[in-house]
Amino acid sequence: MSDSTPSSARAEAAAAFAALINEGRAHSESEAFEKARDAFDRAVQLLPLHPDGYLERGCVAAILGDPQAAIDDLGACLVLSSPEHDDPSRAHFNRGTVLLDTYQGGRATYHFAAATVAGVEEAKSLFTRAKAAGTQAGFDPVGAAEDAARRGFDVIASNPAAALACFADAKLYAPTMLVAVHGLGLAHGAMRNREAARSAFTTVIEEAEGTMKAEAYYNRAMLSSPKDDPTQRAAAADDLEACIAMAEDPDVAFPVMGDPVQAGALVERMRAQLAAMRA
C-alpha cells in the first residue's frame, strides 16, 4: 500500500490484516492448519509488504509439510522486517529448522547464528548440528548463492516474494554478488516496494559496470510514477538518458539477450519514453 493511499484506507487495511492474523493464529491453536493458511494467505494479499503475514504462513507451511513454501515465506519475512520494529528471531529459528530438516545444514547455519545472537537458547545446539551437516555435505556459499539467484530469476514473475527471499539468500551467502542486489531491486519493484527497489538499483549503479549498470539505470527509471513530484520525474528521465547513452555504446552489450535489431527497437522505445518524461 503506497504512501498516497488515504490514511483512513490504510487504517482499515491494517485493522482487517490484524483480524486475519488473529483468525489464522486461532485456527493454528486448534490445529486447523489449512484454515490457518487460508487466513494468512488473505492477510498477505491484503498487505503484501507486511512481514507478519509471511511469518505466520511460513510457520504453518512447515507444519503442513510444504518446506519450500515455508523457506520462501520465512525468507520474505526476514527481508521485509524492520530492525527497529520487528523481532526476526522466530523467522530465523524456524527457517533454520526447516533447512536443517531438508538436509540444507550449510544454509541453516546463517539462521541459527542470527537466532543465537537474538537470544534463542535452542539455536546454539542446532547451529552446531547444522555446521557439521554443512561441512559433511561440502556446503559451498558461492555455489549456493548462484543457485539462489538463478531460482530467484526463475520465479520472480509468478512469486516475487519467493524471489525476494532467493536474492536475499544469494547476497547473504556471497555479499559482493551484485546480480543478487539487482535481483532484489527487481523483486522489490514487482512488489511495488519502490524505495527498497530504488535503493538496490542505486547500489548497482554505483558499483557495477557495463550491461548491469545500464540495466539498473533503466530499472530505476521505470520505478517513476506520474504521481511523482517534478524532481523525482526529472531524476528518472536522467536515468533513462544515461541508459540510452550506454545502450548506444558499442562497448556495452545491451540488452544482454538482444540482437542488433532488438537493441535498436529498444533504444527507440526508450527515446519515446524519455520524450514523454521530459514533456
Side-chain angles (χ1 to χ4, degrees), residues 98-169:
V98 176
L99 286 166
L100 183 57
D101 287 346
T102 52
Y103 309 101
Q104 300 178 74
R107 295 178 63 191
T109 58
Y110 293 86
H111 298 292
F112 289 133
T116 298
V117 170
V120 181
E121 287 297 321
E122 296 171 85
K124 294 180 180 179
S125 60
L126 290 174
F127 171 80
T128 302
R129 279 182 53 198
K131 186 175 181 181
T135 300
Q136 184 176 13
F139 177 68
D140 171 22
V142 174
E146 291 171 348
D147 289 343
R150 191 177 302 112
R151 179 170 182 263
F153 287 114
D154 286 344
V155 304
I156 191 169
S158 60
N159 191 345
L164 193 68
C166 288
F167 293 125
D169 282 346

Side-chain angles (χ1 to χ4, degrees), residues 44-57:
V44 166
Q45 291 166 13
L46 185 63
L47 292 182
L49 297 180
H50 199 299
D52 284 357
Y54 297 100
L55 172 62
E56 300 295 350
R57 191 174 68 176

Side-chain angles (χ1 to χ4, degrees), residues 203-253:
T203 297
V204 175
I205 289 167
E206 291 172 349
E207 298 183 14
E209 297 295 337
T211 300
M212 189 182 298
K213 184 170 186 171
E215 290 180 346
Y217 271 125
Y218 179 81
N219 288 321
R220 192 171 70 173
M222 291 303 100
L223 294 171
S224 180
S225 163
K227 295 181 181 179
D228 287 344
D229 64 43
T231 300
Q232 290 174 311
R233 294 281 291 168
D238 289 344
D239 280 347
L240 191 55
E241 193 163 31
C243 177
I244 291 170
M246 294 189 74
E248 293 180 326
D249 184 341
D251 292 330
V252 178

Side-chain angles (χ1 to χ4, degrees), residues 17-33 35-40 43 50-57 59-60 63 86 90:
F17 178 86
L20 287 167
I21 294 295
N22 288 334
E23 177 188 335
R25 287 172 177 166
H27 285 311
S28 291
E29 289 176 4
S30 62
E31 299 186 1
F33 297 116
K35 290 182 179 179
R37 180 152 66 173
D38 178 68
F40 297 139
H50 199 299
D52 284 357
Y54 297 100
L55 172 62
E56 300 295 350
R57 191 174 68 176
C59 290
V60 167
I63 293 170
D86 301 300
R90 184 180 168 206

